[in-house]
């Protein structure tokens, strides 16, 4: 008897490490780290780590829904006027809701084919830049954006090339802006600042 082992595809997504970020002297928001580990052929990188705020999740859901009209997308945690970013229970409840949202989305093959989802999960591009990239208005492709972000943002071991070099900087709790990245003309803007806005975090 010959047994052929099929490697089961998996995608692990963790939404963790909520942090308060100051936008200006009056406004703050919370962002969350999204960690992806996968062996799925759908993903350009098998390990990635980015930070996103609630408003960006709202944008992602709207864009995915407009592209997959027949699919009923899972809900995001409700946007409540009583949300208090200083209340750990509120923050953790939202974090769990965001993780469940991503877990459900990543089980749908049609949604997985949307480039915006991959840019959202594996780069720090703003929604405007993600739209521009997907519609071909940037010098870089979706795959370029993901590779550039991964090669510049060495906060976690990225596949084998880093293991050989000896885990350089494997502290996944370090502040993403510590990579010192800023926007440059040709390369992808991989800085970790979200685009400024004053609406809900």
């Amino acid at each position: 008897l010959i047994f052929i082992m099929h490697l089961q595809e998996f995608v692990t997504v963790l939404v963790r490490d909520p942090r308060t970020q100051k936008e200006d002297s009056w406004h703050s928001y919370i962002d969350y780290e999204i960690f992806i580990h996968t062996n799925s052929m759908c993903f350009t990188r098998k390990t990635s780590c980015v930070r996103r705020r609630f408003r960006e999740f709202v944008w992602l859901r709207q864009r995915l829904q407009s592209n997959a009209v027949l699919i009923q997308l899972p809900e995001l945690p409700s946007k409540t006027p009583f949300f208090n970013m200083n209340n750990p229970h509120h923050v953790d409840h939202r974090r769990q809701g965001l993780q469940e949202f991503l877990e459900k989305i990543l089980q749908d093959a049609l949604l997985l084919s949307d480039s915006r989802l991959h840019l959202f999960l594996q780069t720090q591009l703003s929604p405007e830049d993600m739209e521009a990239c997907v519609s071909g208005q940037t010098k870089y492709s979706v795959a370029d954006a993901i590779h550039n972000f991964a090669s510049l943002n060495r906060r976690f071991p990225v596949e084998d090339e880093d293991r050989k070099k000896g885990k350089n900087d494997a502290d996944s709790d370090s502040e993403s802006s510590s990579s010192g990245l800023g926007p440059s003309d040709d390369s992808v803007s991989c800085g970790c600042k979200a685009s400024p806005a004053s609406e809900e975090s």
Side-chain angles (χ1 to χ4, degrees):
L1 284 171
I2 298 171
F3 291 98
I4 298 172
M5 290 286 289
H6 283 291
L7 192 62
Q8 188 68 45
E9 280 205 351
F10 70 87
V11 182
T12 302
V13 59
L14 297 174
V15 177
R16 61 191 187 185
D17 188 27
R19 292 188 183 179
T20 304
Q21 310 286 1
K22 277 190 90 62
E23 206 156 38
D24 54 42
S25 50
W26 296 102
H27 301 100
S28 294
Y29 63 89
I30 290 181
D31 67 7
Y32 303 83
E33 184 180 82
I34 303 170
F35 172 77
I36 296 281
H37 178 54
T38 181
N39 64 356
S40 167
M41 299 295 288
C42 302
F43 283 82
T44 305
R45 305 296 302 188
K46 303 310 177 201
T47 314
S48 62
C49 225
V50 299
R51 298 194 71 84
R52 294 287 182 192
R53 59 191 290 185
F54 184 76
R55 199 183 58 199
E56 293 173 301
F57 279 88
V58 173
W59 170 85
L60 176 69
R61 188 181 184 282
Q62 288 168 344
R63 300 311 301 150
L64 291 175
Q65 187 66 81
S66 67
N67 289 348
V69 185
L70 300 175
I71 294 177
Q72 182 51 54
L73 262 76
E75 293 300 325
L76 286 165
S78 58
K79 187 173 173 178
T80 164
F82 306 112
F83 180 79
N84 178 356
M85 57 185 357
N86 298 315
N87 181 326
H89 176 72
H90 286 193
V91 173
D92 195 59
H93 183 263
R94 176 173 280 183
R95 181 200 62 72
Q96 282 179 303
L98 295 174
Q99 177 159 323
E100 286 163 19
F101 168 75
L102 287 179
E103 283 170 348
K104 288 173 186 161
I105 278 189
L106 291 170
Q107 290 167 22
D108 190 296
L110 181 60
L111 297 176
L112 266 178
S113 68
D114 193 312
S115 298
R116 287 175 191 83
L117 177 60
H118 293 272
L119 290 170
F120 178 87
L121 293 172
Q122 299 202 299
T123 76
Q124 208 66 59
L125 293 178
S126 68
E128 297 76 17
D129 289 341
M130 287 188 267
E131 281 295 351
C133 182
V134 167
S135 51
Q137 296 165 16
T138 54
K139 293 178 186 175
Y140 49 85
S141 67
V142 171
D144 290 339
I146 292 169
H147 277 302
N148 287 359
F149 178 70
S151 63
L152 289 168
N153 190 28
R154 298 291 190 177
R155 303 193 296 127
F156 49 87
V158 182
E159 287 135 33
D160 296 334
E161 69 221 42
D162 284 301
R163 276 190 215 117
K164 286 173 195 146
K165 287 179 199 163
K167 295 179 186 137
N168 194 351
D169 228 276
D171 175 13
S172 65
D173 287 323
S174 65
E175 183 66 73
S176 42
S177 57
S178 66
S179 52
L181 300 171
S184 65
D185 290 338
D186 301 320
S187 68
V188 183
S189 169
C190 296
C192 295
K193 282 220 168 14
S195 53
S198 52
E199 98 192 316
E200 141 121 11
S201 37

